[in-house]
Amino acid sequence: MTDTLTPLEAPTLPRPAYRRQFIKQDGRELFLYGYTPHKGTPLPQEGGEVAKGGELRWHPLRQEWNVYAPHRQNRTFKPASADNPLAPSQPGGAPTEIPFQDFELAVFENKFTSLHTEAPAPIEIQGLRSARARGRCEVVVYTPEAQGNLHTIGQDQRRLLLAAWNDRYQALFEAGCEFVLPFENRGDEVGVTLPHPHGQIYGFPFIPSVQQNAALAFAEGYDLSADLTRHVPEYSVSSAGGIEAFCPPYARFPFEVWLAPQRRVAGPWDFSPEEADGFAHLLGDITRRYDAYFERETAYMLSLHAAPRETEDSFHFTAQFYPLLRAPGRVKYLASVEQSTGAFTVDVMPERAAQTLRAL
């Protein structure tokens, strides 16, 4: 059984950190990240077979891949707090995904994965283009505490999260992934089934159409840095360490916020220490502003858009927040027009959204 402890290569962290790599009893990898070397003894674990992903099918009209993973129908759904699978395990208690009594931040292979390095051969259907769903799906557990968010976990923990993201970026690109997407789903309206503060990482065997289009725009000369200069201060929400938080004038969601470095970088692995600190701060600051304005835990989707493979020379990294609320107590539903055409109807002007969030 593999169990190794190594210093984490993260020059932008405020102090040294470490990564422990552990192979669970069912064969899945677990990584424990922390400022203190993790040396805990593993507790009893669950074994058994784990499904190895689904399959890809090509949509001939949308010109994009869809992922099919029917085994995910049986994934964990809103368990009782006593059965929280993302909590640390306890002696005599039911095993969780993390078989240790404590940890700082954890990343593990998703048990209900849709992408896997050993994905099975797809079903053969005449006239249909299909492929193995090779790739990787991981769960990122921000904290051992069952309650919290990107604001409340604090700056040191957000810096550690950024270092873990960068470590996984490197590993997944080295493993052959074409595009890597760290993301977070938050709130019932987004469909979150586990309230414990966490996100996910998908390593794709292809470049999704959204990122293909973005890469093409950057390659053809779109200059986000110049746009940032033009859009500040009207669309600015906040800034820190060379990172701008702003509501893009072409936002598709009410109160949509992007975080972008003022200079072009391909991904957060290229941040300076000041940019890493500013980015981590703004992750918490935007979460705080959302919750203050909507007067509740804000349902949102957060995704990190770094350069797909072989587009690093022109791609400009952004992190994008999509709230699922349009006003306190009012949900933004993605109805027929948006779903059918991709043309969103936005209820709040981006400049007004920026002014509202900036004032908090």
Side-chain angles (χ1 to χ4, degrees), residues 12-81:
T12 60
L13 274 176
R15 59 185 187 275
Y18 304 85
R19 178 190 63 225
R20 181 177 182 180
Q21 180 182 3
F22 180 81
I23 304 298
K24 299 176 64 173
Q25 190 168 316
D26 60 15
R28 290 180 293 142
E29 284 187 298
L30 166 68
F31 301 92
L32 301 173
Y33 295 88
Y35 294 108
T36 301
H38 192 282
K39 300 179 181 179
T41 301
L43 296 171
Q45 307 166 55
E46 290 183 341
E49 291 291 322
V50 175
K52 294 183 177 180
E55 64 180 73
L56 304 180
R57 294 184 180 182
W58 180 254
H59 194 304
L61 299 183
R62 296 179 65 95
Q63 292 289 289
E64 60 190 14
W65 289 106
N66 290 330
V67 184
Y68 296 82
H71 58 276
R72 284 175 50 79
Q73 276 281 61
N74 299 319
R75 64 187 183 273
T76 307
F77 183 80
K78 293 187 176 181
S81 57

Side-chain angles (χ1 to χ4, degrees), residues 111-164:
K111 186 175 183 179
F112 302 96
T113 186
S114 53
L115 304 167
H116 196 280
T117 54
E118 300 175 15
I123 299 171
E124 293 189 11
I125 300 175
Q126 187 175 5
L128 176 73
R129 181 182 171 191
S130 60
R132 295 177 186 267
R134 289 195 172 98
R136 178 96 161 193
C137 295
E138 300 179 339
V139 178
V140 184
V141 187
Y142 299 163
T143 170
E145 304 299 326
Q147 303 294 325
N149 56 56
L150 283 174
H151 170 59
T152 63
I153 63 174
Q155 181 70 350
D156 276 1
Q157 195 70 359
R158 289 190 294 268
R159 291 288 296 271
L160 183 63
L161 171 62
L162 177 57

Side-chain angles (χ1 to χ4, degrees), residues 14-15 52 79 134 175 274 299 302 317 351:
R15 59 185 187 275
K52 294 183 177 180
R134 289 195 172 98
E274 293 76 18
L302 164 66
F317 169 77
E351 48 270 31

Side-chain angles (χ1 to χ4, degrees), residues 71-332:
H71 58 276
R72 284 175 50 79
Q73 276 281 61
N74 299 319
R75 64 187 183 273
T76 307
F77 183 80
K78 293 187 176 181
S81 57
D83 298 319
N84 177 7
L86 304 185
S89 292
Q90 298 301 323
T96 73
E97 287 282 17
I98 304 162
F100 296 94
Q101 287 183 257
D102 62 72
F103 65 91
E104 292 180 58
L105 187 148
V107 177
F108 62 85
E109 286 186 81
N110 197 327
K111 186 175 183 179
F112 302 96
T113 186
S114 53
L115 304 167
H116 196 280
T117 54
E118 300 175 15
I123 299 171
E124 293 189 11
I125 300 175
Q126 187 175 5
L128 176 73
R129 181 182 171 191
S130 60
R132 295 177 186 267
R134 289 195 172 98
R136 178 96 161 193
C137 295
E138 300 179 339
V139 178
V140 184
V141 187
Y142 299 163
T143 170
E145 304 299 326
Q147 303 294 325
N149 56 56
L150 283 174
H151 170 59
T152 63
I153 63 174
Q155 181 70 350
D156 276 1
Q157 195 70 359
R158 289 190 294 268
R159 291 288 296 271
L160 183 63
L161 171 62
L162 177 57
W165 278 336
N166 284 336
D167 189 57
R168 299 311 301 150
Y169 268 123
Q170 179 180 350
L172 293 173
F173 277 127
E174 288 179 354
C177 293
E178 295 294 316
F179 176 67
V180 178
L181 183 76
F183 64 94
E184 179 189 352
N185 296 321
R186 185 188 188 216
D188 287 343
E189 291 86 351
V190 183
V192 171
T193 58
L194 296 173
H196 193 118
H198 74 287
Q200 299 179 62
I201 304 173
Y202 276 23
F204 290 88
F206 57 89
I207 302 175
S209 58
V210 170
Q211 285 70 40
Q212 281 187 332
N213 290 337
L216 179 62
F218 287 126
E220 291 180 343
Y222 172 63
D223 189 342
L224 180 56
S225 292
D227 258 5
L228 287 174
T229 300
R230 283 189 288 267
H231 297 156
V232 174
E234 184 177 10
Y235 294 92
S236 176
V237 176
S238 184
S239 62
I243 308 294
E244 194 69 41
F246 66 104
C247 295
Y250 40 79
R252 301 192 309 154
F253 288 83
F255 297 95
E256 178 176 330
V257 172
W258 290 17
L259 308 183
Q262 293 160 352
R263 68 183 182 103
R264 189 197 68 78
V265 301
W269 54 81
D270 284 336
F271 280 165
S272 68
E274 293 76 18
E275 288 167 333
D277 190 63
F279 181 77
H281 167 76
L282 290 170
L283 285 173
D285 185 53
I286 298 305
T287 303
R288 176 193 65 80
R289 290 174 190 266
Y290 279 151
D291 289 358
Y293 176 67
F294 293 113
E295 301 175 348
R296 51 163 288 189
E297 179 183 287
T298 302
Y300 65 63
M301 297 172 283
L302 164 66
S303 51
L304 275 62
H305 296 245
R309 183 183 296 277
E310 297 183 357
T311 69
E312 296 86 353
D313 290 344
S314 58
F315 205 92
H316 193 139
F317 169 77
T318 60
Q320 303 178 14
F321 283 91
Y322 310 142
L324 262 290
L325 301 174
R326 58 186 175 87
R330 297 183 182 180
V331 176
K332 164 60 181 176

